[in-house]
Amino acid sequence: MIVEHFKNEDPLPVYRRFRDQGRLAPEGLIYVSSWVDEKMHRCYQLMETDDSTLIEQWIANWNDIVDFEVYGVLTSKLLNVLLLCFRLMLTISCSVFITNHAIALSL
């Protein structure tokens, strides 16, 4: 998740550049969606990539007129799957631990 703060709270230079040059994103950086706050001072962009250096390249094309905050995010669906896997691994680990200790105690 990218939070863009328009410098001087002015979105016009950003929209002009976008109109004239496009998103200026390197290949491999995928635009998903974006939202602009009602005061038009900041934009929230959801971008997707496996390579964080592509985000840095993209930011370099805009940092003269935009200040950026970058946050790594997961979808709620993916987080739920990861938590389920973690719980399953924990359950298996606990079962193995208990079994191993029960065997050791019986020896």
Side-chain angles (χ1 to χ4, degrees):
M1 173 69 72
I2 315 292
V3 181
E4 300 178 349
H5 299 270
F6 304 132
K7 290 192 179 182
N8 300 316
E9 298 179 343
D10 184 5
L12 291 179
V14 175
Y15 285 96
R16 282 188 194 114
R17 183 174 298 170
F18 181 77
R19 178 196 64 208
D20 296 342
Q21 299 178 37
R23 194 164 308 281
L24 299 172
E27 187 173 329
L29 181 60
I30 301 163
Y31 166 81
V32 177
S33 190
S34 61
W35 304 263
V36 178
D37 73 347
E38 65 273 358
K39 293 181 180 179
M40 296 186 70
H41 293 170
R42 79 181 63 92
C43 177
Y44 302 88
Q45 291 211 43
L46 191 56
M47 307 291 276
E48 190 174 298
T49 186
D50 291 328
D51 183 355
S52 62
T53 63
L54 298 178
I55 294 172
E56 294 168 14
Q57 291 173 28
W58 175 67
I59 286 173
N61 293 324
W62 294 94
N63 65 7
D64 60 321
I65 54 177
V66 177
D67 292 318
F68 292 88
E69 295 176 53
V70 179
Y71 300 94
V73 296
L74 304 172
T75 64
S76 296
K77 185 176 182 177
L78 178 57
L79 179 59
N80 284 327
V81 169
L82 292 173
L83 290 173
L84 179 63
C85 289
F86 177 75
R87 281 189 224 118
L88 181 59
M89 288 175 24
L90 187 60
T91 301
I92 291 169
S93 295
C94 288
S95 296
V96 169
F97 178 81
I98 291 167
T99 302
N100 288 343
H101 281 74
I103 291 169
L105 290 173
S106 67
L107 296 175

